[in-house]
């Protein structure tokens, strides 16, 4: 693909800046992309090769004493495509350099600690790409909508999360926060597909319908999350998810941008390369 088919950088067009409103957001759109699905698939494959190279550089840096890492945070309602991002985007890089964590309902042990306790334990090691399938943001989303704690408790968490993420960035972790937004109609179609296909039954959870019934409350919770925690150092990127190919391409581009900003280089060897060549020849 000779030209860049993005009208505007996905980093620019998908960032949740001041004044962003979910009520006017179109989950079926493909903002910034000027070509079709086939071109998007080709672009993603090409960019994936570059992403894999950079991820290997980061892994090598970590093996050589580096302290930097990248953290991809994925949030979204059920069927928004988080699993597809893991398989099709994260799946393009070397799995030995990936730390993956999925956050569901807290265990009794986790509930006995501060809500960030389980998050800290899952942070990526130096040199790794960390991926959070759901995250600490469950504690201002599900917790808020389901009224699991009083408003003054979850309300204080926005500032706590901002401080936590500032700490991570200061320690060398680049954070890419992606909110995958699927429409009510598309979610219904995807849930129905799970019910109609035996190979998808395991993915269906009757509790998904309870959350679906609270769609307006969840939208309000997501809006508040974006309003309070899309910061300069850790902004939110809101990705339309009705078209799976677009969502996967967009996340690939966002992740690649984060890696490129690190200015990665292959670490210098700690041994004499020429001397090792001679030693090898002598064996």
């Amino acid at each position: 693909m000779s030209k860049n088919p993005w009208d505007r950088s996905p980093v620019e067009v998908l960032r949740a800046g001041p004044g962003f409103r979910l009520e006017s957001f179109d989950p079926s759109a493909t903002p910034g992309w000027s070509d079709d699905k086939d071109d998007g698939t080709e672009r993603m494959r090409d960019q994936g090769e570059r992403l894999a190279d950079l991820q290997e550089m980061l892994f090598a840096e970590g093996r050589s004493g580096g302290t930097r890492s990248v953290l991809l945070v994925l949030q979204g309602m059920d069927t928004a495509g988080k699993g597809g991002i893991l398989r099709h985007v994260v799946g393009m890089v070397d799995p030995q350099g990936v730390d993956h964590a999925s956050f569901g309902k807290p265990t009794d042990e986790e509930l006995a600690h501060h809500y960030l306790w389980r998050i800290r334990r899952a942070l990526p090691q130096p040199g790794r790409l960390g991926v959070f399938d759901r995250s600490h943001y469950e504690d201002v989303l599900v917790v808020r909508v389901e009224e699991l704690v009083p408003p003054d408790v979850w309300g204080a968490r926005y500032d706590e999360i901002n401080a936590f993420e500032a700490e991570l960035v200061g320690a060398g972790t680049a954070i890419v926060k992606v909110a995958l937004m699927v429409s009510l109609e598309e979610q219904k179609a995807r849930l129905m597909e799970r019910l109609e296909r035996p190979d998808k039954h395991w993915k269906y959870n009757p509790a998904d319908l309870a959350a679906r019934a609270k769609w307006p409350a969840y939208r309000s919770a997501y809006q508040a999350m974006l309003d309070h925690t899309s910061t300069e150092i850790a902004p939110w990127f809101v990705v339309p998810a009705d078209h799976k190919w677009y969502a996967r391409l967009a996340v690939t581009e966002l992740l690649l941008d984060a890696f490129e900003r690190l200015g990665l280089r292959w670490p210098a060897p700690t041994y004499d390369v020429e001397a090792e060549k001679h030693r090898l020849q002598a064996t």
Side-chain angles (χ1 to χ4, degrees):
M1 187 173 294
S2 59
K3 69 181 183 68
N4 184 351
W6 288 97
D7 295 329
R8 284 193 293 160
S9 163
V11 173
E12 175 188 354
V13 75
L14 298 173
R15 180 169 179 160
F20 176 86
R21 302 302 300 171
L22 278 174
E23 61 190 17
S24 59
F25 181 79
D26 182 3
S28 67
T30 57
W33 184 253
S34 60
D35 287 344
D36 59 17
K37 176 181 177 179
D38 289 342
D39 290 323
T41 301
E42 181 183 351
R43 169 80 176 185
M44 179 175 163
R45 182 175 60 250
D46 292 343
Q47 296 295 75
E49 293 177 1
R50 173 63 176 159
L51 178 63
D53 287 342
L54 291 174
Q55 184 250 1
E56 186 178 3
M57 287 184 187
L58 179 65
F59 185 68
E61 179 183 280
R63 292 284 297 269
S64 303
T67 60
R68 296 188 296 178
S69 62
V70 176
L71 175 61
L72 173 63
V73 175
L74 298 173
Q75 283 292 152
M77 297 289 285
D78 297 305
T79 78
K82 298 182 294 296
I85 297 297
L86 286 167
R87 289 190 298 275
H88 296 280
V89 178
V90 180
M92 292 190 293
V93 306
D94 189 338
Q96 72 173 331
V98 177
D99 290 336
H100 169 254
S102 181
F103 297 97
K105 182 179 179 181
T107 64
D108 289 341
E109 180 185 20
E110 290 168 343
L111 287 172
H113 293 82
H114 188 273
Y115 71 97
L116 290 176
W117 179 78
R118 66 174 181 163
I119 306 300
R120 290 185 180 277
R121 287 164 54 90
L123 290 171
Q125 296 297 309
R128 303 294 188 94
L129 165 61
V131 184
F132 283 179
D133 181 352
R134 301 187 188 272
S135 66
H136 40 299
Y137 286 99
E138 294 291 282
D139 288 282
V140 292
L141 292 170
V142 175
V143 165
R144 168 178 169 160
V145 174
E146 302 299 333
E147 300 179 344
L148 301 179
V149 299
D152 63 316
V153 175
W154 57 254
R157 290 175 177 172
Y158 299 120
D159 288 341
E160 290 178 347
I161 288 172
N162 288 339
F164 168 64
E165 291 179 350
E167 174 191 335
L168 296 185
V169 172
T173 298
I175 305 175
V176 181
K177 300 189 301 192
V178 175
L180 295 165
M181 292 296 165
V182 66
S183 67
L184 198 59
E185 296 76 14
E186 180 64 18
Q187 188 199 51
K188 183 176 183 179
R190 293 179 185 180
L191 289 173
M192 185 61 72
E193 181 186 24
R194 292 180 181 181
L195 289 171
E196 291 177 340
R197 291 178 51 178
D199 63 324
K200 299 287 187 180
H201 287 172
W202 67 273
K203 296 182 71 174
Y204 183 83
N205 184 347
D208 292 346
L209 295 188
R212 179 176 166 83
K214 298 177 180 179
W215 193 276
Y218 271 102
R219 188 172 69 175
S220 295
Y222 269 92
Q223 182 65 61
M225 176 193 80
L226 298 172
D227 289 342
H228 293 292
T229 64
S230 189
T231 62
E232 188 64 31
I233 61 170
W236 275 104
F237 298 99
V238 186
V239 175
D242 278 11
H243 297 291
K244 294 178 181 179
W245 66 267
Y246 175 84
R248 294 165 186 172
L249 170 62
V251 176
T252 299
E253 299 275 12
L254 294 171
L255 202 51
L256 180 57
D257 177 78
F259 271 92
E260 289 179 335
R261 288 175 185 272
L262 294 177
L264 293 162
R265 298 289 185 274
W266 292 111
T270 57
Y271 51 84
D272 186 322
V273 175
E274 293 304 317
E276 291 304 305
K277 287 180 181 179
H278 289 302
R279 290 184 63 215
L280 180 59
Q281 282 293 110
T283 60

